[in-house]
């Protein structure tokens, strides 16, 4: 009989009721169930088989081609997650400062990961993700500056606008956006 684990980390069984299985290995759960069933059954045999890992997901965003939620069936590194999200947008991604945000015990922690060595083929220490981690690939500084110029200068000054200032009788400076 297959039993799903509830969000509170428990399963419900006849004869023994609710059993907390969160964070336990299959062998630990099997031994606990055998102990719980012993007063009710002669020589209880229990098999615990993991059929699927659910709610193991991470999110990837920022300068990647296909950001969003990723399923995490097993071990997953930051680089693995970025590649599953389509890889870095090479012109704009700051690969030397990939941010991992982890929520643990009610507190959010952040870590900066330098993936430059890995992309250059050099040895590096992989950073393994945990369920519900957020991976954010920020923009390069020059990309941010370019966006600022586009937003605050290029989009404010209308096309065809000309501005000039007479410095003296022979010199004039100006801007022509046409």
């Amino acid at each position: 009989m297959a039993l799903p684990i509830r969000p509170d980390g428990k399963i419900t069984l006849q004869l023994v009721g609710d059993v907390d299985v969160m964070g336990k290995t299959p062998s630990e759960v099997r031994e606990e169930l055998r102990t719980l069933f012993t007063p009710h059954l002669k020589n209880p045999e229990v098999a615990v088989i993991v059929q699927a890992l659910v709610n193991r997901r991470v999110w990837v965003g920022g300068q990647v081609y296909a950001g969003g939620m990723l399923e995490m069936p097993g071990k997953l590194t930051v680089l693995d997650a970025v590649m599953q999200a389509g890889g870095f947008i090479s012109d704009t991604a700051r690969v030397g400062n990939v941010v991992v945000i982890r929520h643990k015990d009610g507190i959010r922690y952040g870590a900066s990961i330098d993936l430059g060595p890995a992309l250059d083929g050099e040895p590096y220490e992989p950073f393994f993700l945990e369920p519900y981690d957020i991976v954010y690939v920020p923009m390069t500084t020059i990309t941010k500056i370019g966006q600022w110029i586009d937003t605050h200068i290029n989009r404010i000054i209308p096309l065809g606008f000309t501005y000039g200032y007479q410095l003296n009788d022979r010199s004039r400076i100006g801007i022509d956006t046409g």
Side-chain angles (χ1 to χ4, degrees), residues 22-87:
M22 184 178 287
K24 297 178 182 173
T25 66
S27 60
E28 291 171 336
V29 172
R30 183 181 42 136
E31 288 305 315
E32 183 174 350
L33 292 177
R34 188 180 296 161
T35 302
L36 291 171
F37 277 120
T38 298
H40 306 285
L41 303 171
K42 292 181 184 178
N43 300 323
E45 286 298 320
V46 178
V48 176
I49 301 168
V50 177
Q51 291 183 329
L53 298 172
V54 294
N55 291 331
R56 290 181 48 88
R57 49 184 69 135
V58 297
W59 287 265
V60 181
Q63 301 304 297
V64 294
Y65 283 105
M69 184 199 68
L70 298 175
E71 291 296 332
M72 189 175 145
K75 287 186 173 185
L76 187 70
T77 68
V78 174
L79 185 57
D80 295 335
V82 168
M83 293 303 140
Q84 283 187 32

Side-chain angles (χ1 to χ4, degrees), residues 1-29:
M1 149 179 44
L3 293 173
I5 299 173
R6 300 189 316 238
D8 64 356
K10 295 181 181 180
I11 58 174
T12 302
L13 296 164
Q14 292 179 349
L15 301 177
V16 296
D18 287 348
V19 179
D20 188 5
V21 297
M22 184 178 287
K24 297 178 182 173
T25 66
S27 60
E28 291 171 336
V29 172

Side-chain angles (χ1 to χ4, degrees), residues 21 25 30 39 54 60 62 65 73-74 91 107 111 115 121 128 136 140 150 166 178:
V21 297
T25 66
R30 183 181 42 136
V54 294
V60 181
Y65 283 105
D91 296 345
I107 300 171
L115 293 178
F128 288 94
Y136 179 74
T140 61
D150 187 49
Q166 191 74 34

